Amino acid sequence: MKKPVFFNTEGRSLAPFEPMSGDTVRIYTCGPTVYDRAHIGNLRAFLFEDLLRRTLKFLGYEVVQVMNLTDVDDRTIQRVHDTGKSLDEVTAPVIEAFFADLESLGIEPAEHYPRATEHIPEMIALIEQLIEKGYGYEAEGSIFFRIAEDSDYGRLSGFDLGQVRQGERVVSDDYDKEDVRDFVLWKAAKSGEPSWESPWGAGRPGWHIECSAMSMKYLGESFDIHCGGVDNIFPHHENEIAQSESATGETFVRTWIHAEHLIADGQKMSKSLGNFYTLGDLIEQGATARAIRYLMLSVHYRDKLNFTLEALEAATGALKRLDEMRFRLGHAVETHPGESTLKAAADQMLESFTAALASDLNVSEALAALFGLVREVNTAIDSNALAAGDREHVMSALARVDDVLNVLDPESWRTDVEDEGLADGEIDALIAEREQARVDREWSRADEIRDQLQAAGIVLEDARDGTRWKRQ
Ligand SMILES: [Zn+2]
């Protein structure tokens, strides 16, 4: 089993990774706040987490992943106020759309999706523990965390505790570093707001305590990896550490991994700039979820991802190269009598691909290895150098790669093209092959391809600038 190296946000350094117990990696990933449809910036973090979990499994580990759904917090409550709907009416359609997005993007489901509203007793119990140990105190019906009691507060985000405004309080779920004060664990109910009974009267949990309670319930007091976007580092994750460790006395998380922001057209996404995209918007405009997945995976998670329509087009082109190679390979004949060269090339690709991903998910190098093989396969086909077993060997290496990437179009795997419908990439590849056959004056092969396409309901029109096709 290849041991990976990850960049731990805590300490800001690369470190060899080893699970705490056996081969099982326990991961908590902060999920969506379900007050509004996710945009592609949110989805980037979830795609990075998918790459992480698939890589760990590829390397031979078992994964237990928990992704929470924040279905009560300041923003969902605000939406309840604004719309006059119930909390459930606000969150239910957003949750449904969220899971649909994950599915479209080929994201492997987590093992658990706990909802905050279904874990209120666990949050109350954790707050009681904090009060008992002197970290939690009551003020105006709400409960706050006293950060002056927590001597290593700030160790994840790395700021000086001396700067902290002690004894003052902040009630909002989200705030910036200039506003480091005692944060809220439990908020007293305001009239008209959804609330739950507690030892301190009716109220609702703060956002941070939700994740501490749900992660420890499903993964234990200490677990391996906690992920999120870089905007979660402060205050959310800093506060999760403070709450969890002050309550248990144990190290909460061994490795913190954070994905950088996505920007669009070089700027922060915003509705007013017209560069705000949801997955649904992009698909409506003709993009494929597969190309969006590829694009988002192809940029290293610690680099900002600049989403542009040109980049999406380039991703579509890269996938087309993969499809065409696989189609050609599926139809090539293994007539070369000598030793196979592609077996070694495929093995070498897998080795480089694995090493790259194990090195802090170095996806650029992993993809470079993959496309190196694409070139070798194309060259081998062009020079009739395929030996017996080459096709199967390369195909199985590609299938291994796709356990992680999950971008290869299953349509293009098929070789029974005469019997059923053809994918666009397959048609293009056949037309290219037919044109080559005509250049080479192999008329019977050219006619054969034409007949094959006709049988599949594809009509060809030979024009001066090439061959066009349409479906019947
Ligand atoms: Zn969280």
Side-chain angles (χ1 to χ4, degrees):
M1 187 183 293
K2 181 121 186 124
K3 289 209 168 82
V5 166
F6 295 127
F7 186 85
N8 192 347
T9 307
E10 184 175 346
R12 302 283 194 281
S13 63
L14 289 165
F17 173 81
E18 195 146 1
M20 291 167 66
S21 74
D23 292 339
T24 301
V25 182
R26 287 170 295 155
I27 308 178
Y28 187 82
T29 50
C30 283
T33 300
V34 288
Y35 73 109
D36 202 356
R37 184 90 199 247
H39 55 67
I40 56 165
N42 306 130
L43 295 173
R44 188 209 181 172
F46 304 132
L47 269 170
F48 141 69
E49 289 154 0
D50 186 53
L51 180 66
L52 175 66
R53 83 172 258 136
R54 286 173 180 272
T55 295
L56 286 165
K57 288 171 83 172
F58 179 78
L59 296 176
Y61 296 97
E62 303 261 329
V63 170
V64 178
Q65 182 191 355
V66 177
M67 178 182 283
N68 69 299
L69 300 172
T70 299
D71 58 356
V72 57
D73 80 321
D74 288 354
R75 285 183 292 180
T76 46
I77 298 281
Q78 186 61 44
R79 208 38 80 97
V80 167
H81 268 296
D82 295 348
T83 60
K85 292 179 179 168
S86 71
L87 189 59
D88 190 51
E89 283 167 346
V90 166
T91 59
V94 180
I95 290 171
E96 201 185 315
F98 174 69
F99 283 116
D101 281 354
L102 295 193
E103 203 184 335
S104 304
L105 287 171
I107 291 176
E108 203 169 70
E111 281 63 31
H112 305 276
Y113 290 102
R115 294 182 186 198
T117 52
E118 291 169 1
H119 294 79
I120 305 287
E122 287 86 345
M123 296 167 201
I124 291 175
L126 186 55
I127 296 169
E128 282 181 315
Q129 248 179 304
L130 288 168
I131 294 174
E132 210 170 281
K133 295 192 170 174
Y135 294 99
Y137 67 93
E138 187 168 350
E140 294 148 14
S142 294
I143 308 294
F144 291 86
F145 184 92
R146 187 179 279 120
I147 58 177
E149 284 296 317
D150 183 15
S151 58
D152 64 352
Y153 186 87
R155 77 169 198 264
L156 180 68
S157 48
F159 62 79
D160 178 9
L161 199 59
Q163 303 299 312
V164 169
R165 297 159 68 177
Q166 293 177 5
E168 292 180 45
R169 294 182 287 275
V170 56
V171 287
S172 64
D173 279 336
D174 218 351
Y175 48 91
D176 52 42
K177 271 192 186 178
E178 281 65 59
D179 214 16
V180 183
R181 295 180 275 176
D182 289 355
F183 61 89
V184 73
L185 299 168
W186 183 264
K187 302 190 192 202
K190 292 186 192 142
S191 76
E193 280 185 1
S195 63
W196 288 262
E197 276 312 314
S198 81
W200 322 286
R204 62 180 170 96
W207 172 36
H208 317 301
I209 201 77
E210 295 182 4
C211 282
S212 283
M214 289 187 280
S215 58
M216 291 197 289
K217 170 166 182 176
Y218 292 93
L219 299 174
E221 293 179 349
S222 284
F223 55 92
D224 298 299
I225 298 177
H226 195 314
C227 297
V230 287
D231 51 331
N232 289 144
I233 296 173
F234 186 87
H236 187 49
H237 290 165
E238 194 69 69
N239 291 351
E240 278 188 46
I241 295 177
Q243 299 162 151
S244 308
E245 297 191 356
S246 299
T248 68
E250 302 287 334
T251 300
F252 177 44
V253 168
R254 297 292 184 91
T255 304
W256 289 88
I257 311 182
H258 291 96
E260 253 296 345
H261 285 295
L262 176 144
I263 53 175
D265 305 322
Q267 286 172 293
K268 193 174 186 317
M269 265 204 320
S270 90
K271 283 182 174 153
S272 61
L273 287 172
N275 65 349
F276 186 93
Y277 303 105
T278 65
L279 184 61
D281 295 339
L282 290 166
I283 288 174
E284 231 165 73
Q285 289 167 27
T288 64
R290 182 175 164 236
I292 294 166
R293 176 182 172 90
Y294 181 88
L295 170 57
M296 297 235 236
L297 290 185
S298 66
V299 175
H300 190 255
Y301 74 94
R302 284 196 284 126
D303 290 331
K304 275 204 177 66
L305 192 160
N306 185 18
F307 187 92
T308 64
L309 295 180
E310 291 75 40
L312 192 54
E313 216 169 282
T316 307
L319 289 174
K320 198 172 170 203
R321 268 160 52 216
L322 282 170
D323 292 347
E324 285 173 358
M325 178 273 281
R326 285 183 306 129
F327 179 76
R328 294 187 73 204
L329 183 63
H331 290 77
V333 280
E334 295 175 326
T335 49
H336 195 262
E339 275 292 294
S340 159
T341 53
L342 284 184
K343 272 184 190 158
D347 290 345
Q348 177 59 46
M349 182 279 288
L350 268 184
E351 203 172 297
S352 308
F353 183 86
T354 308
L357 287 175
S359 171
D360 195 35
L361 305 178
N362 189 336
V363 73
S364 325
E365 267 184 30
L367 290 174
L370 173 60
F371 281 95
L373 181 67
V374 171
R375 278 191 300 277
E376 292 197 50
V377 170
N378 281 328
T379 307
I381 295 172
D382 290 341
S383 50
N384 286 321
L386 248 56
D390 271 350
R391 173 170 36 239
E392 204 186 316
H393 205 83
V394 171
M395 288 295 198
S396 82
L398 293 173
R400 283 286 290 141
V401 162
D402 210 40
D403 286 342
V404 179
L405 298 179
N406 194 26
V407 293
L408 302 187
D409 184 4
E411 193 69 24
S412 305
W413 284 92
R414 295 187 358 208
T415 50
D416 57 337
V417 288
E418 291 89 349
D419 305 321
E420 295 190 54
L422 291 166
D424 289 4
E426 292 171 335
I427 297 167
D428 292 340
L430 275 173
I431 289 173
E433 196 188 335
R434 174 169 170 265
E435 272 165 17
Q436 191 56 49
R438 285 161 51 149
V439 169
D440 298 342
R441 300 180 164 268
E442 293 171 15
W443 307 113
S444 63
R445 176 65 188 141
D447 288 343
E448 200 179 295
I449 293 171
R450 178 173 204 123
D451 292 344
Q452 182 189 344
L453 286 165
Q454 224 158 33
I458 308 300
V459 180
L460 301 185
E461 284 168 16
D462 290 320
R464 199 174 271 225
D465 55 347
T467 302
R468 285 192 282 269
W469 60 267
K470 62 180 184 198
R471 292 180 196 276
Q472 253 171 354

